[in-house]
Amino acid sequence: MNPTIQTLLLIQGVLVGLLTLAGLLVWVERRLLALWQDRLGPNRCGPGGILIFVADGIKMFTKEDWIPPGSDKPVFVMAPAIIVVTALIAFTIIPLAPGVSILDLNIGILFFLALSSMGIYSTVLGGWASNNKYSLLGGLRMSAQMFSYEVFMGLSLMGVVILSGSLNLHDIVKAQSGMWFVVPQFLGFLIFLFAGLAETHRLPFDMPEAESELIAGYHTEYSSMKFGMFFVGEYVGVTLISAIIVTLFFGGWQGPLLPPVVWFFLKTMCFILFFILLRAAIPRPRFDQLLAWGWKFVLPVALLNLIATGAIALARGN
Amino acid sequence: MFSMLKTLWLVFKHAFHKRVTIQYPEEKAYLAPRYRGRIVLTRDPDGGERCVACYLCAVVCPVDCIALDSAEDRHGRRYPSTFRINFSRCIYCGFCEEACPTYAIQLVPDVEMAEYNRQDMVYEKEHLLINGQGKYHGYNYYKVAGLAIGGKAKGEAENETPPVDPKSLF
Amino acid sequence: MATIHIDGKPYEADPEKNLLQTSLTLGFDLPYFCWHPALGSVGACRQCAVRQYRNEEDTQGQIVMACMVPAADGTRISIEDEEAREFRRSVIEWLMVNHPHDCAVCDEGGECHLQDMTVMTGHAYRRFRFRKRTFNNQYLGPFINHEMNRCIQCYRCVRYYKDYAGGRDLDAFASHNHVYFGRSEDGILENEFSGNLVEVCPTGVFTDKTLKTHYTRKWDLQSAPSVCAHCSLGCNTLVGTRYGGARRILNRYHYDINGYFLCDRGRYGYEFVNRPERIRHPLLHEGAHDTETYSKPETCSADVALKEARIRLRRANRIIGIGSPRASLESNYALRSLVGEDNFFNGLPAAESHLVTVALEILRHGPVRSASLREIEEADAVLVLGEDITQTAPRMALAVRQSVMRTPRETARKLGVPAWHDRAIRDVAQSDRGPLFIAAIDETRLDDVSTAAITRAPNDLARFGFAVARALHPEAPPVDGLSESDTTLARQVSDALANADHPVIITGTGLGNEALLQAAANVAWALLRCEKPAALAFVVPEANTFGAGMLDGRPLREAYDAVSSGDADTAIILENDLYQRTHDVDVDRFLGGLKSIIALDSLRNATTDRAHVVLPAGTFAESDGTFVNNETRAQRFFQALPPEGDIAESWRWLGRLAAGSAPSEEPAWKYLDTIIDAMVADYPELRGVRDAAPSADFRSNGARFPRSPRRFSGRTAIHAQFDVNEPSPPADHDSPLSFSMEGSTAVPPASLVSHYWSPGWNSVQALNKFQEEVGGANRGGPPGICLIQPEKNLHPFFTEIPATFRRSGEKFVVLGLPHIFGSDELSRHAPALAERIPHAYVTISDADARARGVSEGDQLVLRIFGREHKLPARIRPKLAPGILGIPMGFPGHAGLVFPVDGHL
C-alpha cells in the first residue's frame, strides 16, 4: 500500500477510534461511578444503557447554542476547539504498535509537552472570553495550575529520557523490553500521574471547574456543542495522558501472547479506569493546597528524582 | 497518602456491593405514611371541611404557591371559597401542614403527579379536597375553638363552661 | 430633659411622660394592654411591670407598673429583671386562662396585640387544667363584630367609647372573672366613631365586620397610603386590597389631623369601590340625550371610546368642562387645561361656589391660621358657629370633644397630676368641661359636652357670631336688635374666648350662609386684635372642595347659561353627578341642550346614564392624586389597587383625550409628576402640592417602598389559574411605591407609609415605631403641605350684618340636614354603611307642629319648586319656627340647593 494512504488510513482510524472512545467514556464513566456508589447508572438506553452517549450527543447538538452578549465572540467560539485539536494532535506521536504511529518524531516527548501546554489556552481563553466572573476565575485557576504542574511534568519525564537515552517514544518503548520504567522510575511515574491529573483538570484536581465554588468554572457560559467540545476534549485528554503513561512507564505495546495494539489498548484502559476511580474516591483539595503541594513537595521530589537518576546513570557509566 | 490509597481501595470494593437503585416504574419505592408528597385538604370526623381559611399555610409557604380566599357559610363556619396550589412551584417542604391549626392540609405519600403541561400542575380546591380525615383522625377544630357555629353554641365546646349571664351579680 | 437609667444604662427622657411611653420611644419591647397613647394610663392590666430602684445602691427595688410612674430625673428601672419578666409572663398566663382557641378563625389573628405580647413575654402553654368561661355575643350593627370570649378585660374599649368618643351605649357589666363589655342589649352601636374599637381593642373582641365579609389577613393586604374621600378633613387612611378589591380601611396616623382615630364613614365608606354599579369599561350611548332612543349602554374598548370622544370634541362648537369637588386636583386641572380657562366650571352650584370663594378669601387675605384637628383638640375654648360638624366633618367633632378636657386637664396639672394619668385627671375633672359653645339650627351630637348651645335660624346664628366679635373688640360692627339673652350669651362666649390661650372658631358652608363665614372670621380677627392666637376652621362639603375652588372655575349656573343662551354644545363632565348638585329640571335642560356629553366617573349615576361617552374613572383606591382639605392642606393619595380593565385616573383619561387623534401621539401628561409640574407652573399658589409627597423618583437605599407586606402570600398561585407563569408586577411610574413585597425596609416618609409593621409588632401598635416619640409626631414630619398661609396684616372686619330671620307668610325656609351616613354621594353605596342611612324625613319646629296639628311621624307633603315631597315629620323642640329641615343628598331630593323655600 502507498505509505501516504497508509498514514491517511491510520489518521482516520485514530480519529474515529478516539472520538468514539471519548463518547463511550461518557457511558463508561457514569456506569463506573454508579458501580462504586452502589447505584446502577444509565441502564435504559440501549443494551446496558450504552446508547446514552448517542442520546447525549443528540442533546448536545440540539440544545440552544448560546453566546453571551458580553463575550468576546471569536475567542469564545475558538476556545473549545483548541482543547480538542491539541489533544488530538498530541496523539499523532503515540506508538500504537511496533512502528505504527502517525508521526515518528525523534523529539516525541517534547512535542507532547508542547501540545499539552497549548491545551490550556482553551480553558484560559474560554474563561476570559465568557465575560463572567466565575469563568474568569476558572480560567485563572487553570493557568496557575498549569504553570505549577507543567514544570515537574517535564522534570518527571527526564528520568525516563535518561534511562532510555532518547526522546523518541518508539525508542522509549523498546528500551522497556527488559523492565518497565515504572520500576526504576516509580517516583517519576507518580509525579507524572499527578501532573497529568492536574493537566487534564480531572477530579480531584478540577479546580478550574469546581462546581461547588465556581458553578462550572471556565465553561459556565458554554452550551450545546461548544460545551460538548470541552467535554470531548476532556475525555480525549484523559485518554492521551493514559496512553503516555503506558508508553513511558508501562512498556507501551509490549506484552506477551496478545497483539501489541491490544496490549496497548488494555493498558490504556486500565489507566482510564484508574482515573475514574480517583474521581469516585478522592475529594477535591483546596486550590491553595494544590499549588502549595505542587511547589513545596512535588517539585523538590521531582528534582531529587532527577538528580538521583542522573547520579546512578553517571555511576553506571552509560 | 496511605489514607488515600485506603480510600481508593474502599471505594473500589463498593463495586461488589448490593445496588440500592430502585428501577422505578417497574419497582415502587416504599413511601412512609408521613412522606411529604401530594397535598390534600381533609374533612373532620363529621364530614365538614376542616379548612377554616386562616391563611397560615399560605403565609408560611416559602415559595408562596398557596392562594386562597375565605368565605363564611350561614352557620358561621369559615371556609375557603377558593383554594389553589401551584404544584409547579411547590417544594413539598411540609411547612403548610405544620402551620395548619386544624389538620386540614396534609401531605400524603403520593409523588406520581408529573404532567406534560405545566398549567395542569395548578390544583384547585376541587382537586385538593378529599372525603376523609387523612393522617389525623378524630380531630375537629370547632370542638375546641370558642367560636359559636351552627350546631354548637357558646359554651358547648370541649373544656368550656356555659355562657355567663353578665347581668347577674355573681 | 431628664436622665433615667434602664438596665444600668443612662437615657435621655421627657419627665412629662411615663416610663412605659419612654421605654417604647427608646425602642424597648415592654408589653402593655390598657395603656394607649391617646387614652392615657390607668394601670389596669398590670402588664408593663418593671423593677424600680430607689438609687444606685438599691439592689432590692420593687415591682412597679411602668405606665403609672413618671420618667423623672434619676429614675432607675430594670426591664430585663428576672422577677419583672416572670411577673409579666404570669400576667399573660392569667389573661390567657380563658382566652379561646380561636386564632385560626379570629379576624385579629396576625395583627393581634395579645398575640404579640404573648410571644414577647414568652408564655407558650396553658397550664390551667380547668374549663374556660364563655360569653354570648351581641349584635352591634353592621360595622362591628363582637366576640366576647376573647376579651382580656383591659377596659380600653369603654375608656375609648365612653370617655374619649362620648358614646353612651357601651359599658362594662358584671364582676370579677366575667366582666362583660357590650351594650345593655343587642343593637347598633350609636356612636359615629365606633369603628375605632377595631383598632383600640388589643385582641379580637371587636373586629371589622366589613372585612369579615371578604376576610384577608393583614400580611396579605396590599396597601397604600390614601386620603379619605368622604369629607373635607382629609383624614389619612391605609387602603388594604386583595384580589382586585378594596378590603378595609385602617387609620393612618397623622399627627396634625386624624391622630389615631377615624369616623365610621371614613372607615366603612370604602366598599363602594367593589360595587357592581362601578363603571369598569368605557360605555357608549348612541343618541342618549334623546330619551326615545335611549338604550342600554354598550361597553367598548378604550380606543373606541377615545376615538368616539375625540370625534365629538372635534365637531364641537364650544367645549365646556365641568370639574368636581370630589375629583383630585390633578384631574380638575387636566380638565381645565383641556377645555381652556374660559370654558372651565368648578362643578359647584352658584351659592356653594360663592361660599367657597369667600372662605378661601378669608384664609388668603386674613391674618388667621386655619386650625388643624390637633389644634382643635388642644384648643381651650371652641365656638362652633352654624355647622353640625358631627355630620359634615365627623372627625372634627371627636377633636372638639377632646378640647373640652383641656381646661380640666390644666386644673389637674396644677394639682400635680401628670398629663398621662387618665384616671386621676377624670377624678379631678368630674363633670367639669372646658368652654365649648355651639350655635346651630338644631340640637347637635356635641351638645352633651357644650358649655352652652343655642339654636337659631342661620341668619340669627350669624348675627350671634357678629355680636361675639363685637363683644371682643370695639372696632367690630355692632349688631342691632339682639335679644337680651343673646347679648348676655355673646358676652359669655367672648369672655371665654378671650380668656383662652388657644381659641378656635369653627364654621362651615353647610347652611349655605355667607354671613356665618364672615361672622366667624370677625370673631377670629377680633381675638387676634386682642393678641390671642386664634385659629379658624372651615368645614366644606367634600374632599377636594377647596382644591376645586382654588382653580378659579366658575359655578355650574354659568355653564348652564353657556348652553341655553350661548354657543356651547359639548361638555366634559368630570366625576360629577349634576343631579346631586342642582335641581333636576335645570340639569335636564342643560344636558338636553348639549350635542355631546362625555362623562368620567367611577359609579354609574343619572349623569353618566345620559352621557354619550362614559370613561371609567378610578376611585381613590385606584388613583394617584392630591386632595386639598379644609385647612388647605394638600395631601397625596396613592393607588392601592392596580387599576383593572380600562379604569384609569381621570387626569390620565383627559391627557389621552387631549393628545389628539393619532394613536401614536403622546398624552399631554403621562405621569403624575408631569401634570403636577404643569399645574404648579400655572398656579403658583399650588406649589406646595409638589412637596405634599415625594416624587416618583424618590428612592430609599436605591429601592422603592413596597405596597405589599413582607410576608405577602400566594404570589406564585394567585394568578396561576390563568397562567402558571407569574406575570411581572404592575409598574408604577407615578409614585415611589411598588406593587410588590420587595423594596426598602426603612421607615418611609410619613406620606408613603403603606402599613405599620415592625419585627415583633404585628398589630396596629407597630405604629409606635413610625413616630418620633410614641404618641408624637410622624417620623419625618406630618404629611401634606398647607397651601395658604395667613397674611401678616390685619384685615378690616366684615360689616354686612344680615337681618334677623322673619318668616314670610306660609313660606318655610327649607334647610339641608347633613347626615354622616347618607349625605355623602360615594359612601352611600357601601352596603354596611347603607344599613345605617335613616329614611328621609322632614324636621319641623315644635311651634309649627302645634300650629298645624302635626304629630311625630305624620306624613307631611312638602312643596318645593312646585314638586311635592312626601316625608314623615320629626318634631324638634329646639328648631326655630319657620324652618324645615330635610336630609341632604338623599334620593328624591338630591339636587336641591339649600336653603330653598318650601310650602307645607
Side-chain angles (χ1 to χ4, degrees):
Chain A
M1 223 191 291
N2 185 323
T4 318
I5 296 174
Q6 237 177 3
T7 315
L8 278 180
L9 277 177
L10 191 60
I11 291 174
Q12 194 69 28
V14 169
L15 202 58
V16 171
L18 267 179
L19 291 182
T20 316
L21 188 66
L24 276 176
L25 279 181
V26 175
W27 171 75
V28 170
E29 173 153 31
R30 289 176 64 180
R31 286 292 289 200
L32 282 178
L33 285 179
L35 184 74
W36 289 316
Q37 292 167 356
D38 298 351
R39 296 182 290 118
L40 287 176
N43 60 62
R44 296 273 161 167
C45 191
I50 194 164
L51 290 181
I52 191 79
F53 85 92
V54 178
D56 268 351
I58 294 171
K59 187 184 76 175
M60 289 285 183
F61 275 107
T62 51
K63 273 201 160 177
E64 184 188 1
D65 193 4
W66 165 253
I67 298 177
S71 65
D72 186 336
K73 248 180 226 174
V75 180
F76 185 83
V77 173
M78 211 167 61
I82 294 175
I83 192 165
V84 180
V85 170
T86 52
L88 284 177
I89 292 178
F91 243 95
T92 51
I93 52 156
I94 304 287
L96 303 175
V100 181
S101 68
I102 299 168
L103 282 176
D104 185 5
L105 285 180
N106 53 3
I107 51 155
I109 286 181
L110 284 183
F111 186 77
F112 158 75
L113 287 175
L115 279 172
S116 73
S117 28
M118 284 287 284
I120 72 143
Y121 278 101
S122 170
T123 38
V124 175
L125 290 180
W128 181 78
S130 300
N131 197 13
N132 170 316
K133 57 186 169 189
Y134 297 113
S135 304
L136 183 63
L137 281 173
L140 285 176
R141 282 187 181 189
M142 189 66 221
S143 56
Q145 190 168 324
M146 196 53 88
F147 250 114
S148 323
Y149 282 75
E150 190 69 29
V151 177
F152 44 81
M153 180 183 247
L155 288 179
S156 67
L157 295 185
M158 288 308 108
V160 174
V161 174
I162 291 171
L163 290 183
S164 63
S166 170
L167 291 170
N168 185 308
L169 292 181
H170 283 281
D171 294 347
I172 292 173
V173 174
K174 282 181 203 134
Q176 299 180 60
S177 48
M179 178 172 54
W180 290 353
F181 282 160
V182 68
V183 181
Q185 276 301 314
F186 187 68
L187 264 182
F189 158 68
L190 280 183
I191 293 163
F192 186 78
L193 188 69
F194 293 134
L197 272 176
E199 185 102 7
T200 50
H201 48 89
R202 286 282 301 178
L203 265 153
F205 292 163
D206 68 337
M207 277 66 172
E209 291 181 38
E211 73 280 349
S212 49
E213 303 145 43
L214 298 184
I215 304 183
Y218 63 93
H219 61 63
T220 303
E221 297 287 353
Y222 281 88
S223 63
S224 183
M225 206 47 215
K226 290 202 191 68
F227 169 75
M229 300 260 266
F230 276 127
F231 215 62
V232 169
E234 183 180 326
Y235 283 115
V236 174
V238 170
T239 318
L240 175 68
I241 292 292
S242 306
I244 292 284
I245 290 174
V246 168
T247 308
L248 298 183
F249 296 101
F250 288 87
W253 36 260
Q254 290 185 354
L257 297 172
L258 295 168
V261 179
V262 176
W263 267 118
F264 179 76
F265 180 74
L266 284 179
K267 289 181 188 172
T268 308
M269 273 319 284
C270 278
F271 275 95
I272 292 174
L273 298 193
F274 179 68
F275 277 124
I276 295 172
L277 178 62
L278 277 180
R279 175 176 179 179
I282 311 285
R284 179 190 307 132
R286 228 166 49 210
F287 187 64
D288 63 312
Q289 289 171 333
L290 176 77
L291 290 193
W293 198 65
W295 287 109
K296 293 181 181 164
F297 178 70
V298 185
L299 181 64
V301 171
L303 286 170
L304 275 180
N305 179 47
L306 184 60
I307 293 165
T309 313
I312 293 166
L314 264 180
R316 284 201 186 160
N318 49 355
Chain B
M1 201 67 215
F2 175 71
S3 79
M4 288 218 204
L5 291 176
K6 197 174 149 195
T7 307
L8 282 176
W9 174 240
L10 282 175
V11 171
F12 182 75
K13 275 204 305 189
H14 271 270
F16 309 104
H17 281 210
K18 193 173 166 288
R19 306 289 94 183
V20 294
T21 307
I22 295 167
Q23 291 285 60
Y24 165 59
E26 297 88 20
E27 300 171 46
K28 302 273 193 237
Y30 167 73
L31 299 182
R34 295 184 62 172
Y35 186 88
R36 297 196 307 261
R38 186 162 61 90
I39 297 174
V40 295
L41 290 175
T42 59
R43 292 177 184 278
D44 62 32
D46 306 325
E49 260 178 62
R50 265 181 178 156
C51 178
V52 296
C54 71
Y55 295 97
L56 283 178
C57 50
V59 71
V60 78
C61 180
V63 291
D64 287 347
C65 75
I66 304 178
L68 64 153
D69 201 4
S70 86
E72 212 167 85
D73 71 7
R74 57 199 169 81
H75 301 298
R77 275 180 81 119
R78 193 166 271 180
Y79 67 96
S81 57
T82 63
F83 199 110
R84 185 178 310 119
I85 299 182
N86 180 354
F87 278 109
S88 75
R89 289 285 187 197
C90 180
I91 56 168
Y92 303 93
C93 63
F95 283 10
C96 49
E97 181 174 358
E98 261 182 66
C100 185
T102 67
Y103 285 145
I105 196 165
Q106 297 181 13
L107 276 76
V108 295
D110 173 12
V111 293
E112 297 179 329
M113 45 194 310
E115 300 279 355
Y116 283 104
N117 183 356
R118 210 182 131 199
Q119 189 67 48
D120 296 338
M121 303 285 280
V122 177
Y123 280 39
E124 298 289 340
K125 186 177 165 189
E126 73 227 50
H127 310 124
L128 297 167
L129 186 64
I130 62 164
N131 268 330
Q133 303 180 43
K135 290 179 277 187
Y136 307 104
H137 291 272
Y139 185 72
N140 189 339
Y141 173 72
Y142 282 108
K143 290 258 162 71
V144 291
L147 202 72
I149 55 160
K152 190 211 84 174
K154 278 281 149 72
E156 290 178 8
E158 286 168 19
N159 223 8
E160 279 188 351
T161 56
V164 171
D165 174 11
K167 288 176 183 165
S168 78
L169 270 178
F170 300 100
Chain C
M1 275 290 149
T3 304
I4 63 167
H5 297 263
I6 301 178
D7 290 316
K9 278 191 194 157
Y11 295 91
E12 287 285 289
D14 178 0
E16 298 291 306
K17 299 280 169 6
N18 61 49
L19 282 175
L20 172 61
Q21 193 168 3
T22 305
S23 307
L24 292 172
T25 300
L26 291 171
F28 289 96
D29 282 347
L30 186 56
Y32 62 91
F33 288 113
C34 67
W35 178 80
H36 186 287
L39 302 178
S41 311
V42 289
C45 70
R46 319 311 286 170
Q47 188 58 65
C48 59
V50 294
R51 183 181 286 273
Q52 185 181 17
Y53 302 99
R54 279 192 301 280
N55 50 42
E56 215 166 338
E57 284 77 46
D58 184 8
T59 50
Q60 198 61 35
Q62 57 182 344
I63 299 275
V64 295
M65 296 307 126
C67 74
M68 300 303 281
V69 180
D73 199 23
T75 309
R76 292 174 178 274
I77 57 167
S78 170
I79 294 175
E80 290 302 313
D81 177 68
E82 194 41 55
E83 201 180 339
R85 289 166 66 113
E86 187 53 42
F87 187 101
R88 302 196 293 258
R89 189 163 34 234
S90 315
V91 170
I92 282 271
E93 188 167 4
W94 297 326
L95 293 178
M96 297 296 284
V97 154
N98 285 313
H99 196 74
H101 190 67
D102 261 5
C103 294
V105 286
C106 175
D107 291 0
E108 195 83 359
E111 51 180 323
C112 179
H113 190 56
L114 179 59
Q115 277 178 343
D116 288 350
M117 296 302 108
T118 308
V119 173
M120 198 179 279
T121 53
H123 169 66
Y125 287 95
R126 183 176 184 263
R127 290 184 295 171
F128 186 72
R129 291 175 292 113
F130 304 97
R131 296 175 153 217
K132 293 181 179 179
R133 61 112 174 80
T134 61
F135 291 112
N136 283 321
N137 301 327
Q138 287 180 329
Y139 169 76
L140 297 178
F143 296 153
I144 302 278
N145 188 63
H146 192 217
E147 186 59 48
M148 203 32 226
N149 278 2
R150 299 171 187 156
C151 184
I152 55 162
Q153 279 78 27
C154 72
Y155 281 75
R156 260 193 192 188
C157 52
V158 288
R159 288 177 58 217
Y160 164 73
Y161 195 84
K162 290 173 69 183
D163 298 349
Y164 193 90
R168 277 183 290 250
D169 56 337
L170 184 84
D171 226 320
F173 296 90
S175 58
H176 51 94
N177 80 336
H178 50 262
V179 177
Y180 189 88
F181 296 92
R183 291 175 47 105
S184 57
E185 56 194 7
D186 280 23
I188 292 171
L189 280 176
E190 285 163 6
N191 195 274
E192 293 81 8
F193 309 97
S194 63
N196 295 311
L197 288 174
V198 171
E199 290 186 48
V200 167
C201 177
T203 177
V205 179
F206 300 100
T207 51
D208 186 333
K209 217 174 202 173
T210 63
L211 174 66
K212 202 174 161 68
T213 59
H214 38 226
Y215 183 63
T216 310
R217 295 259 180 229
K218 178 185 184 180
W219 61 66
D220 281 343
L221 285 168
Q222 176 175 282
S223 312
S226 195
V227 175
C228 182
H230 303 300
C231 87
S232 62
L233 297 181
C235 294
N236 287 202
T237 56
L238 290 172
V239 182
T241 68
R242 177 87 170 168
Y243 292 112
R247 300 221 150 177
R248 76 153 168 210
I249 298 284
L250 272 189
N251 179 64
R252 180 162 63 98
Y253 184 81
H254 190 301
Y255 181 70
D256 286 329
I257 306 181
N258 47 310
Y260 286 88
F261 305 114
L262 292 177
C263 72
D264 287 356
R265 188 205 275 182
R267 191 180 293 272
Y268 297 108
Y270 72 93
E271 278 185 298
F272 78 91
V273 173
N274 312 331
R275 296 299 296 165
E277 55 264 36
R278 274 300 298 278
I279 303 166
R280 294 186 179 274
H281 298 282
L283 308 172
L284 288 184
H285 298 230
E286 266 313 312
H289 57 288
D290 177 4
T291 43
E292 297 275 310
T293 55
Y294 173 81
S295 58
K296 257 186 93 101
E298 275 183 57
T299 61
C300 65
S301 73
D303 286 342
V304 171
L306 280 172
K307 204 173 142 202
E308 169 75 20
R310 283 179 189 137
I311 291 171
R312 284 176 180 275
L313 291 183
R314 219 176 306 130
R315 290 190 188 147
N317 192 17
R318 180 184 166 201
I319 308 163
I320 55 174
I322 294 182
S324 168
R326 70 172 154 93
S328 67
L329 203 53
E330 288 80 0
S331 299
N332 276 305
Y333 172 75
L335 180 63
R336 186 184 176 281
S337 46
L338 175 61
V339 296
E341 195 179 339
D342 296 334
N343 299 319
F344 177 67
F345 300 89
N346 60 17
L348 297 171
E352 192 183 327
S353 178
H354 178 64
L355 289 174
V356 170
T357 316
V358 170
L360 282 172
E361 287 309 304
I362 290 172
L363 293 176
R364 275 186 187 127
H365 303 303
V368 168
R369 267 188 349 263
S370 199
S372 68
L373 293 192
R374 167 146 304 268
E375 282 174 288
I376 295 175
E377 215 166 285
E378 286 171 0
D380 44 5
V382 177
L383 169 63
V384 183
L385 209 52
E387 191 78 8
D388 186 358
I389 51 173
T390 312
Q391 309 296 338
T392 55
R395 182 63 185 79
M396 188 184 275
L398 192 59
V400 169
R401 201 172 272 285
Q402 306 322 307
S403 75
V404 300
M405 282 301 286
R406 187 58 44 185
T407 312
R409 266 175 205 286
E410 191 54 28
T411 318
R413 199 186 62 81
K414 283 180 189 147
L415 292 173
V417 177
W420 42 262
H421 203 315
D422 189 57
R423 189 69 265 157
I425 288 173
R426 290 193 189 272
D427 284 344
V428 170
Q430 297 297 330
S431 61
D432 185 18
R433 293 290 178 271
L436 164 64
F437 300 95
I438 299 176
I441 54 161
D442 198 355
E443 288 174 330
T444 70
R445 301 269 290 165
L446 277 174
D447 287 359
D448 60 334
V449 286
S450 68
T451 315
I454 61 164
T455 55
R456 300 282 184 279
N459 273 1
D460 293 324
L461 295 174
R463 287 168 62 81
F464 178 74
F466 280 112
V468 173
R470 170 70 183 189
L472 279 164
H473 202 268
E475 278 173 37
V479 184
D480 301 328
L482 206 65
S483 72
E484 186 86 4
S485 62
D486 279 7
T487 315
T488 319
L489 188 59
R491 187 148 299 281
Q492 188 195 340
V493 173
S494 72
D495 285 349
L497 292 176
N499 284 330
D501 290 329
H502 300 282
V504 170
I505 321 299
I506 298 171
T507 188
T509 58
L511 292 176
N513 194 308
E514 181 188 352
L516 272 174
L517 302 180
Q518 296 174 338
N522 269 9
V523 176
W525 292 342
L527 281 166
L528 216 64
R529 282 177 167 86
C530 306
E531 311 282 307
K532 287 288 168 193
L536 194 54
F538 286 129
V539 173
V540 286
E542 279 171 82
N544 198 29
T545 302
F546 269 161
M550 288 171 88
L551 289 176
D552 301 330
R554 285 171 295 142
L556 270 180
R557 168 56 51 200
E558 290 182 39
Y560 294 178
D561 292 344
V563 173
S564 59
S565 64
D567 45 0
D569 58 353
T570 298
I572 304 175
I573 302 173
L574 169 70
E575 300 184 34
N576 203 336
D577 181 7
L578 302 180
Y579 289 94
Q580 296 280 334
R581 306 240 174 242
T582 51
H583 201 245
D584 49 7
V585 179
D586 292 340
V587 184
D588 281 340
R589 198 179 308 128
F590 168 65
L591 295 179
L594 287 167
K595 211 166 69 185
S596 295
I597 304 164
I598 298 161
L600 297 98
D601 217 330
S602 51
L603 289 170
R604 282 192 61 175
N605 57 41
T607 305
T608 61
D609 281 349
R610 297 202 53 181
H612 300 94
V613 183
V614 182
L615 301 174
T619 61
F620 70 92
E622 293 132 335
S623 303
D624 294 315
T626 311
F627 283 151
V628 180
N629 82 347
N630 72 320
E631 44 164 340
T632 71
R633 187 188 292 267
Q635 299 191 96
R636 191 101 73 244
F637 55 96
F638 294 101
Q639 289 177 335
L641 273 176
E644 278 193 356
D646 297 316
I647 293 173
E649 292 103 328
S650 297
W651 55 262
R652 219 181 284 273
W653 278 116
L654 292 166
R656 288 156 81 182
L657 264 185
S661 45
S664 61
E665 225 171 295
E666 286 278 295
W669 35 81
K670 230 173 149 178
Y671 307 124
L672 187 72
D673 290 339
T674 349
I675 188 169
I676 289 177
D677 287 345
M679 182 168 68
V680 170
D682 271 6
Y683 288 95
E685 192 186 33
L686 299 179
R687 68 190 167 278
V689 172
R690 197 182 296 164
D691 303 320
S695 61
D697 53 9
F698 182 86
R699 294 288 181 276
S700 158
N701 304 323
R704 289 167 176 269
F705 292 107
R707 281 184 173 87
S708 306
R710 241 177 273 182
R711 270 314 305 154
F712 188 78
S713 80
R715 187 173 47 84
T716 65
I718 207 160
H719 301 287
Q721 80 273 35
F722 306 117
D723 185 0
V724 73
N725 303 302
E726 291 98 45
S728 57
D732 187 345
H733 301 293
D734 300 310
S735 76
L737 304 171
S738 67
F739 288 104
S740 152
M741 68 261 256
E742 290 167 1
S744 174
T745 53
V747 170
S751 50
L752 296 177
V753 170
S754 300
H755 27 74
Y756 291 121
W757 183 84
S758 182
W761 296 79
N762 299 295
S763 74
V764 288
Q765 325 267 337
L767 168 61
N768 292 347
K769 313 272 181 190
F770 290 74
Q771 296 165 322
E772 292 284 356
E773 58 169 347
V774 175
N778 300 63
R779 260 202 206 181
I785 303 274
C786 272
L787 297 178
I788 299 179
Q789 296 300 335
E791 286 279 326
K792 291 259 170 356
N793 304 326
L794 294 178
H795 193 279
F797 285 112
F798 289 107
T799 50
E800 266 183 59
I801 296 171
T804 188
F805 172 72
R806 301 225 185 285
R807 62 183 311 179
S808 49
E810 285 299 287
K811 211 165 69 181
F812 282 93
V813 170
V814 183
L815 293 174
L817 302 177
H819 265 275
I820 177 171
F821 306 123
S823 291
D824 173 59
E825 187 184 337
L826 297 175
S827 64
R828 197 164 55 212
H829 291 266
L833 202 135
E835 279 187 47
R836 294 289 305 273
I837 300 178
H839 292 292
Y841 59 87
V842 55
T843 58
I844 183 167
S845 68
D846 221 7
D848 287 330
R850 247 180 287 124
R852 287 163 184 271
V854 177
S855 50
E856 181 82 17
D858 285 357
Q859 291 287 326
L860 293 184
V861 178
L862 175 63
R863 278 190 309 282
I864 303 172
F865 291 134
R867 190 174 300 169
E868 294 190 344
H869 300 271
K870 213 172 162 198
L871 297 164
R874 277 195 195 174
I875 297 170
R876 309 292 299 176
K878 292 206 170 163
L879 191 66
I883 289 181
L884 298 178
I886 58 174
M888 253 181 199
F890 277 39
H893 52 262
L896 289 178
V897 181
F898 301 103
V900 291
D901 291 341
H903 296 271
L904 278 182

